[in-house]
């Protein structure tokens, strides 16, 4: 029995005044599991006795039905403050409806981080997952172009009395937020440290994502303010490091992996993905030219004892697809689409191996 199981069972319980399930409304916190005993805190809008009883009975019923018929449930009910900003911080946690948050990083710039992220997001959607994407590269946002949504603007919506931003959605259903949707595309955005931090915080706190299976975060290259903010703001399930097989990229990838492992960051590295592994001419898909060296990232992964998540070929149409806003993984039955799909599958496997993400971090 995991926290995830409990939350799934509790999704059947609707808070009568908010007319939303109690998980979606973020009313459940502090879940503790001990054998077949579970306890948690629950906030309700109307704490009158009869209402408490109705909702705690419902929790028990659905947990017995969907999780474990012998479950013993102990619920600590409190009243929800009428002012959303005064609600216990637990209920305002960002991204709490998101099951797995994955950061995509690289030490070196230009190794294909954004390309890999866009294709991973799209492959996951193809497999039926609900996926959101934060373009945290506030210095050089590329997601609006890679999803052909340059001229779209995020919306605004009231959620529980709070004004929130709604993400842009690609035609195949990836939800995206990027600083590029707010800034003038012609204008260079020069962010200083604190401004960068603030912009990124807003992407986490003020965007209404709804239910998501995966949230991917495309990081700027290197290690800096944005990376630290991210670790503080987002309950990361893990990080993926992108590298080419070339020595200069590998040295930086090694630093990238090391960054996630330092004590104050301490984010599990799901693995390394090798991009531009070999050049593949599309009219001769059997030919492989290892122009940046062979298996560099594969060997690095072995050396660092992390998983090699995939080897993506350098193919002209991958670049063209990125520029056209239709990620290459959408081109069915091509070797490059298969490479991206295999990579996505390994990411799913790695995520499944980790324990349930902490739902309430910070
Ligand atoms: N496997 C690939 N095959 C062909 N072209 C690729 C491949 N991967 C990336 N590219 C191209 O290489 C360029 C850089 O890729 P991308 O923008 O994804 O890198 P990045 O690591 O996000 O860069 P930055 O550090 O600037 O954010 C892009 O033009 C992209 O289309
Ligand atoms: Mg990029």
């Amino acid at each position: 029995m995991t926290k995830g199981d409990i939350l799934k069972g509790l999704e059947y319980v609707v808070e009568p005044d908010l007319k939303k399930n109690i998980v979606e409304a973020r009313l459940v916190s502090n879940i503790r599991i001990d054998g077949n005993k579970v306890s948690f805190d629950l906030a309700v809008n109307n704490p009158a006795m009869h209402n408490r009883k109705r909702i705690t009975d419902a929790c028990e019923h659905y947990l017995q039905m969907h999780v474990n018929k012998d479950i013993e449930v102990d619920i600590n009910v409190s009243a929800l403050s009428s002012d959303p900003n005064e609600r216990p911080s637990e209920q305002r946690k960002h991204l709490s409806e998101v099951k797995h948050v994955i950061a995509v990083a690289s030490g070196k710039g230009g190794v294909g981080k954004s390309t890999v992220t866009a294709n991973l997001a799209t492959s996951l959607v193809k497999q039926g997952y609900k996926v959101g994407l934060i373009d945290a590269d506030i210095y050089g946002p590329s997601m609006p172009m890679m999803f052909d949504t340059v001229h779209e603007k995020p919306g605004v919506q009231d959620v529980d009395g709070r004004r929130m931003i709604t993400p842009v959605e690609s035609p195949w259903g990836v939800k995206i937020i990027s600083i590029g949707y707010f800034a003038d595309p012609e204008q260079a955005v020069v962010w200083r440290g604190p401004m960068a931090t603030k912009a990124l915080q807003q992407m986490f706190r003020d965007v209404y994502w709804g239910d998501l299976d995966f949230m991917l975060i495309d990081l700027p290259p290197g290690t800096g303010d944005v990376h630290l903010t991210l670790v503080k703001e987002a309950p990361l399930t893990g990080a993926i490091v992108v590298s080419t097989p070339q020595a200069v990229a590998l040295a930086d990838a090694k630093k990238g992996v090391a960054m996630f492992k330092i004590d104050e960051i301490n984010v599990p590295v799901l693995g390394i993905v090798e991009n531009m592994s070999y050049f593949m001419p599309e009219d001769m898909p059997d030919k492989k030219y290892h122009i940046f060296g062979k298996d560099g990232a594969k060997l690095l992964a072995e050396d660092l004892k992390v998983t090699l998540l995939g080897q993506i070929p350098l193919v002209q149409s991958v670049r063209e697809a990125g520029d056209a806003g239709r990620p290459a993984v959408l081109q069915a039955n091509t070797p490059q689409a298969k490479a991206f799909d295999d990579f996505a599958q390994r990411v799913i496997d790695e995520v499944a191996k980790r324990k349930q993400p902490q739902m309430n971090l910070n």
Side-chain angles (χ1 to χ4, degrees):
M1 212 160 65
T2 64
K3 279 188 190 180
D5 297 334
I6 302 298
L7 287 169
K8 275 220 177 76
L10 293 176
E11 280 176 0
Y12 292 90
V13 182
V14 174
E15 157 41 78
D17 294 337
L18 303 179
K19 301 201 176 14
K20 261 193 192 161
N21 86 57
I22 59 176
V23 177
E24 188 190 354
R26 302 187 224 181
L27 304 176
V28 180
S29 57
N30 227 351
I31 301 178
R32 292 211 181 82
I33 301 168
D34 179 15
N36 61 354
K37 291 194 185 127
V38 61
S39 67
F40 56 89
D41 297 344
L42 175 66
V44 294
N45 199 40
N46 169 5
M49 203 58 197
H50 69 278
N51 195 47
R52 273 176 197 241
K53 173 117 180 57
R54 231 180 38 210
I55 201 159
T56 55
D57 283 353
C59 291
E60 212 172 314
H61 170 76
Y62 286 111
L63 289 174
Q64 283 168 350
M65 191 156 114
H66 293 287
V67 183
N68 175 349
K69 66 179 171 30
D70 298 320
I71 198 166
E72 284 178 38
V73 187
D74 178 20
I75 308 173
N76 176 24
V77 182
S78 61
L80 192 59
S81 160
S82 52
D83 176 354
N85 292 317
E86 299 231 307
R87 289 177 187 174
S89 62
E90 217 80 294
Q91 287 149 29
R92 284 187 281 119
K93 282 279 141 55
H94 346 301
L95 304 180
S96 60
E97 315 91 330
V98 180
K99 295 202 180 75
H100 306 291
V101 185
I102 300 173
V104 183
S106 74
K108 192 174 176 303
V111 295
K113 214 176 344 33
S114 303
T115 304
V116 163
T117 313
N119 280 285
L120 175 58
T122 301
S123 179
L124 290 169
V125 164
K126 271 187 5 187
Q127 298 186 49
Y129 293 104
K130 287 186 231 143
V131 182
L133 205 169
I134 293 182
D135 186 355
D137 193 345
I138 49 176
Y139 305 98
S142 40
M143 289 310 158
M145 184 193 79
M146 290 193 175
F147 285 91
D148 191 19
T149 48
V150 173
H151 300 291
E152 306 222 1
K153 293 269 167 273
V156 207
Q157 189 188 333
D158 271 336
V159 181
D160 294 345
R162 255 186 89 196
R163 299 278 278 172
M164 299 202 64
I165 298 167
T166 46
V168 165
E169 202 167 321
S170 81
W172 54 95
V174 180
K175 292 182 174 177
I176 313 154
I177 206 79
S178 168
I179 211 78
Y181 295 131
F182 301 97
D184 177 349
E186 303 295 306
Q187 217 166 32
V189 188
V190 187
W191 299 93
R192 305 257 168 74
M195 266 165 80
T197 305
K198 187 126 203 300
L200 192 63
Q201 273 172 349
Q202 277 197 322
M203 296 204 223
F204 288 106
R205 296 182 184 173
D206 300 340
V207 176
Y208 182 68
W209 294 97
D211 247 356
L212 290 182
D213 297 305
F214 289 95
M215 164 68 75
L216 306 182
I217 303 169
D218 182 26
L219 285 169
T223 50
D225 281 349
V226 167
H227 301 75
L228 287 172
T229 306
L230 173 78
V231 180
K232 290 203 203 104
E233 289 289 318
L236 288 177
T237 308
I240 295 171
V241 176
V242 184
S243 183
T244 65
Q246 212 178 351
V248 279
L250 292 167
D252 287 349
K254 201 166 175 173
K255 284 185 209 149
V257 171
M259 171 185 75
F260 288 110
K261 288 189 170 169
I262 62 176
D263 278 350
E264 51 174 328
I265 294 199
N266 195 17
V267 169
V269 175
L270 299 176
I272 296 180
V273 54
E274 186 178 81
N275 187 32
M276 311 190 192
S277 291
Y278 48 89
F279 167 66
M280 190 194 82
E282 277 166 276
D283 47 352
M284 291 183 288
D286 298 332
K287 286 250 192 265
K288 291 183 179 179
Y289 297 91
H290 292 94
I291 48 185
F292 295 123
K294 188 161 185 278
D295 287 341
K298 184 174 172 215
L299 297 171
L300 179 66
E302 280 166 20
D303 188 29
L304 298 177
K305 299 191 173 47
V306 298
T307 307
L308 178 72
L309 296 167
Q311 292 185 299
I312 314 290
L314 174 68
V315 181
Q316 185 171 331
S317 67
V318 170
R319 198 271 304 151
E320 287 167 352
D323 290 352
R326 305 264 313 155
V329 73
L330 291 171
Q331 302 159 5
N333 303 320
T334 58
Q336 55 274 26
K338 180 163 187 321
F340 281 121
D341 282 332
D342 289 349
F343 155 61
Q345 187 54 52
R346 276 196 214 119
V347 172
I348 296 168
D349 295 345
E350 281 304 311
V351 166
K353 273 194 218 162
R354 322 270 146 180
K355 59 179 182 0
Q356 281 289 317
Q358 288 160 286
M359 299 301 288
N360 296 314
L361 222 108
N362 281 3

